[in-house]
Amino acid sequence: MAKLTRRGALACGAAALLCGPALAQQGGRTMRLVVPFPPGGSTDALARMLQARLQDMLGQTTIVENMPGAASALGAAHVAKSAPDGMTLLVTFDSHTVIPAMVPNPPLDIERDLVPVSLVGTAPYVVATNRDKPYRTFADVLAAAKARPRAVTYASVGIGTIGHLAMTLLAKRAGVEITHVPYRGGGPAMNDLLGGHVELLCGSIALVAPQLGGQVRTVMQMGAQRLPMLKDTPTAIESGFDGFEALAWWGVFAPAATPADTLARLSAAVREALSERQIATKLQESQQMTLLLTDSAAAIPFFARQTKLWGDVVRENNIKA
């Protein structure tokens, strides 16, 4: 009798779990993972890791489709309108919960038309500066902003992104004015921070981490606890902003009408795929991601809180795309 390897055992176990009619091979049909952003970003990288593992586990052809547009609403709406049969999933990022507030006449209701499969993980946003600038703590930033209203500048990866909204909320709570300089993506924003053209950058730790130890240092992180790699950088809570968190997150969603048994199988598949040691390690190292890999029910309240928190910031500050 052939010896069953650990990998083979996992695959067999996953296949047994996922062999319900909605997820069995469906006459040559292809499972599609829709990414509502261009290729190359962290969400695209996550989707491609998931695609390879799901295809291996299920024996089901699985592809990644990049469908950018309308601040990620285009891809999200496409998935929401797809057949609820477990064959089309959305793999997305934190900007998803800002769609209702930022996109005029959004093509979907994100809470009504989609259901979470899993909250994959989170990572904190950070405030970083060029080492040639005088800021070592966020208190230094606030002091400069009070002395020179609107003169202190910060970059984000775009209007209405969590980096932009987090700094808007912090400035409002501190009673200062800091000038936002939006960019089309993390690369250009980081380049201008390195070049000294902006004084600060508010972005995910995944964007900032490759530059640490060089020309960039962090002045504040926005998770509830300090990251091990940023053990000397205070959190926003430690810096006097009680209860403040700004998190990058990655999640997987399905059409809202997906049957409960199919949703449970999808959630189990995604969680098993991303728990694989090599993939988990890569996500933790490349994105500084805290893996959560929740089931559907556990993800719902998190996304609801994020939608309300950042939607309120958009509306109260009249932020327009």
Side-chain angles (χ1 to χ4, degrees):
M1 180 181 292
K3 185 177 181 180
L4 187 63
T5 65
R6 180 177 181 274
R7 182 177 180 182
L10 285 174
C12 289
L17 178 65
L18 302 170
C19 66
L23 292 182
Q25 292 193 37
Q26 299 187 21
R29 290 183 61 201
T30 299
M31 176 178 278
R32 299 160 60 228
L33 305 180
V34 175
V35 176
F37 307 103
S42 66
T43 310
D44 182 68
L46 169 65
R48 292 180 191 280
M49 293 181 208
L50 183 59
Q51 173 269 331
R53 194 71 185 93
L54 285 179
Q55 184 163 274
D56 185 38
M57 289 166 58
L58 303 179
Q60 174 81 53
T61 300
T62 306
I63 64 170
V64 173
E65 284 191 25
N66 297 90
M67 198 172 292
S72 81
L74 184 65
H78 178 81
V79 173
K81 294 170 185 175
S82 298
D85 57 5
M87 298 299 289
T88 306
L89 302 179
L90 177 72
V91 183
T92 193
F93 189 56
D94 57 40
S95 57
H96 178 76
T97 50
V98 187
I99 288 173
M102 282 297 300
V103 177
N105 303 311
L108 80 161
D109 182 318
I110 63 169
E111 294 182 281
R112 184 192 65 201
D113 299 337
L114 292 168
V115 61
V117 173
S118 179
L119 170 59
V120 174
T122 63
Y125 274 80
V126 299
V127 180
T129 189
N130 189 305
R131 288 186 178 276
D132 293 338
K133 302 297 181 182
Y135 313 111
R136 294 191 173 275
T137 67
F138 199 67
D140 295 335
V141 173
L142 297 180
K146 289 175 181 177
R148 300 179 292 126
R150 297 182 298 278
V152 177
T153 59
Y154 74 94
S156 81
V157 299
I159 295 172
T161 58
I162 302 302
H164 173 206
L165 301 181
M167 286 294 281
T168 298
L169 185 53
L170 285 170
K172 188 171 185 177
R173 285 181 61 170
V176 299
E177 295 182 71
I178 306 175
T179 298
H180 179 219
V181 184
Y183 288 81
R184 289 184 177 273
M190 180 57 73
N191 286 341
D192 270 12
L193 184 73
L194 291 170
H197 304 300
V198 288
E199 295 183 77
L200 304 163
L201 181 149
C202 187
S204 74
I205 182 59
L207 172 61
V208 173
Q211 303 297 334
L212 296 178
Q215 192 59 27
V216 171
R217 66 167 172 256
T218 52
V219 299
M220 189 169 71
Q221 54 185 307
M222 299 182 185
Q225 294 87 32
R226 298 188 188 192
L227 283 176
M229 75 172 301
L230 297 178
K231 59 183 177 62
D232 295 325
T233 302
T235 66
I237 295 169
E238 292 171 320
S239 301
F241 296 91
D242 187 48
F244 187 94
E245 284 186 84
L247 299 173
W249 59 259
W250 296 261
V252 181
F253 293 79
T258 302
D261 59 342
T262 302
L263 187 63
R265 294 187 187 104
L266 286 168
S267 181
V270 167
R271 287 181 284 141
E272 168 134 357
L274 298 178
S275 294
E276 198 274 328
R277 181 178 297 178
Q278 186 175 1
I279 292 176
T281 298
K282 186 174 289 187
L283 290 172
Q284 289 161 345
E285 291 179 350
S286 64
Q287 308 298 336
Q288 292 298 305
M289 189 187 296
T290 297
L291 284 173
L292 300 174
L293 299 176
T294 71
D295 62 14
S296 178
I300 289 171
F302 175 86
F303 293 129
R305 289 193 301 270
Q306 292 290 297
T307 301
K308 183 179 188 312
L309 170 63
W310 301 120
D312 286 349
V313 175
V314 170
R315 289 182 286 268
E316 289 169 6
N317 294 278
N318 196 31
I319 294 171
K320 304 293 185 183

